[in-house]
């Protein structure tokens, strides 16, 4: 790395065991704090990595109890990106629930308004079904844009943010 | 009321005979399904507060992190408190950006009925 530049990248396989979400979050938090010297930046990027990894573990098309997701965190501070890859069925499109959540976010003038609408929706709901709250949360709290694509049997979701 | 130790999370009930029932959050709430443990505990806290005609104050300012599933449980807590008529206060640390953002968003649950206060320290 050229002195003075703040480009960074980690690209790691993560076993889809739930406790690894917290290991990932705390590792990303420390890495970004080291680069940025800013606790808030570490919390922001690590929150995104953790929420995307949680979704991947919960909703990925795992063929066995455990598999491996791919997590990449990179950027050139203050620009940062998080990408999480997990399995989908071959030939599938972006899962409907994920597409709906991304559309829900874009239907509102701001990420805060979308997130608050989802919070109010959850408050009025009596079931514990998946809500997409995590993606709305990172869209708002990290101020990130989210995009999803499927390539082969892999779902890739990417968050782009400015710290 | 007893404290709750749950994974990396601790909820400590502050001993007091007057004023709201105060619960300190410490550590991290990162369980896959925190509601399975938190929801019944919150229900017990609210029943205890109601039985003694007290409010409930949840202090999050020392908590390091919680996942979005925990937020779902907090939303449920707000709704349950309102149903029971228990005044609920959520206290956060405004110097921590993530807490400020999280709890500012939860203000949408306020109904101008005096039963929910979101307050910073």
């Amino acid at each position: 790395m050229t002195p003075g530049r703040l480009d960074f990248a980690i690209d790691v396989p993560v076993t889809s065991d739930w406790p690894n979400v917290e290991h990932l979050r705390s590792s990303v938090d420390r890495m970004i704090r080291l680069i940025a010297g800013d606790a808030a930046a570490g919390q922001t990027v690590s929150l995104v990595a953790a929420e995307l990894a949680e979704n991947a573990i919960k909703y990925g098309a795992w063929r066995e109890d455990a598999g491996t997701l791919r997590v990449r965190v990179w950027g050139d501070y203050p620009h940062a990106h998080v990408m999480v890859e997990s399995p989908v069925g071959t030939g599938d499109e972006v899962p409907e629930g994920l597409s709906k959540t991304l559309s829900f976010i874009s239907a509102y003038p701001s990420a805060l308004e979308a997130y608050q609408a989802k919070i109010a929706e959850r408050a009025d709901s009596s079931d514990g079904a998946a809500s997409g709250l995590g993606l709305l949360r990172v869209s708002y709290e990290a101020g990130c844009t989210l995009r999803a694509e499927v390539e082969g049997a892999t779902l890739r979701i990417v968050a782009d943010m400015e710290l | 009321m007893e404290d709750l130790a749950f994974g990396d999370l601790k909820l400590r009930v502050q001993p007091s005979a007057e004023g709201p029932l105060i619960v300190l959050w410490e550590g991290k709430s990162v369980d896959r399904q925190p509601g399975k443990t938190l929801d019944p505990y919150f229900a017990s806290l609210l029943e205890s507060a109601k039985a003694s005609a007290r409010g409930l104050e949840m202090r999050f300012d020392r908590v390091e992190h919680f996942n979005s599933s925990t937020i779902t449980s907090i939303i449920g807590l707000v709704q349950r408190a309102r149903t029971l008529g228990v005044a609920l206060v959520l206290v956060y640390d405004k110097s921590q950006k993530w807490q400020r953002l999280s709890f500012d968003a939860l203000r949408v649950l306020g109904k101008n009925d005096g039963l929910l206060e979101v307050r910073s320290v």
Side-chain angles (χ1 to χ4, degrees):
Chain A
M1 191 165 84
T2 305
R5 291 183 57 191
L6 292 171
D7 53 325
F8 59 93
I10 59 169
D11 188 348
V12 290
V14 178
T15 305
S16 62
D17 297 320
W18 189 260
N20 283 343
V21 173
E22 177 54 21
H23 298 321
L24 172 70
R25 190 195 67 81
S26 57
S27 298
V28 171
D29 184 17
R30 291 191 187 100
M31 183 190 77
I32 299 296
R33 285 179 196 231
L34 181 69
I35 295 163
D38 177 3
Q43 287 164 342
T44 297
V45 181
S46 63
L47 170 70
V48 175
E51 291 286 358
L52 297 188
E54 283 195 4
N55 276 4
I57 293 172
K58 281 182 176 175
Y59 308 120
W62 306 104
R63 294 181 182 218
E64 300 170 3
D65 287 345
T68 302
L69 52 139
R70 191 94 201 168
V71 178
R72 179 172 163 80
V73 182
W74 78 101
D76 188 354
Y77 182 79
H79 313 291
H81 315 273
V82 177
M83 181 190 76
V84 174
E85 291 181 340
S86 57
V88 288
T90 305
D92 283 359
E93 297 180 345
V94 173
E96 185 181 6
L98 175 55
S99 288
K100 282 185 176 176
T101 299
L102 296 179
S103 296
F104 188 93
I105 294 169
S106 60
Y108 285 84
S110 71
L112 171 60
E113 288 168 272
Y115 184 47
Q116 288 191 316
K118 184 60 72 174
I119 289 172
E121 187 181 288
R122 289 299 309 162
D124 292 335
S125 170
S126 57
D127 67 54
S131 64
L133 196 68
L135 292 179
L136 284 134
R137 181 190 188 193
V138 299
S139 173
Y140 158 61
E141 290 193 21
C144 65
T145 57
L146 295 165
R147 52 197 160 91
E149 60 189 23
V150 170
E151 184 177 325
T154 299
L155 170 66
R156 181 179 300 121
I157 182 160
V158 182
D160 304 305
M161 69 206 89
E162 301 290 315
L163 300 171
Chain B
M1 279 299 301
E2 293 187 356
D3 297 346
L4 174 71
F6 170 47
D8 294 330
L9 180 67
K10 288 188 174 62
L11 274 63
R12 299 185 192 278
V13 181
Q14 292 294 95
S16 65
E18 297 179 349
L21 193 60
I22 296 173
V23 181
L24 308 181
W25 286 58
E26 297 172 352
K28 300 174 279 193
S29 179
V30 295
D31 192 77
R32 182 167 184 157
Q33 295 178 297
K36 284 190 172 181
T37 300
L38 291 179
D39 294 354
Y41 183 70
F42 291 165
S44 297
L45 286 172
L46 288 168
E47 291 294 343
S48 177
K50 183 176 176 61
S52 53
R54 302 168 73 180
L56 176 62
E57 185 169 306
M58 291 291 207
R59 294 188 178 172
F60 295 90
D61 48 300
R62 292 185 189 176
V63 78
E64 181 182 336
H65 169 73
F66 52 62
N67 60 16
S68 57
S69 298
T70 305
I71 295 175
T72 298
S73 286
I74 295 170
I75 293 168
L77 167 69
V78 172
Q79 293 304 91
R80 205 168 290 118
R82 177 166 288 121
T83 300
L84 292 172
V86 174
L88 176 66
V89 182
L90 308 179
V91 180
Y92 67 95
D93 179 357
K94 65 184 176 189
S95 72
Q96 295 195 58
K97 182 182 174 186
W98 78 271
Q99 287 204 7
R100 189 173 68 248
L101 290 169
S102 281
F103 287 96
D104 276 352
L106 289 174
R107 292 182 195 279
V108 72
L109 296 172
K111 302 280 188 191
N112 294 319
D113 55 8
L115 289 174
L116 175 64
E117 180 185 359
V118 182
R119 190 172 73 213
S120 64
V121 292

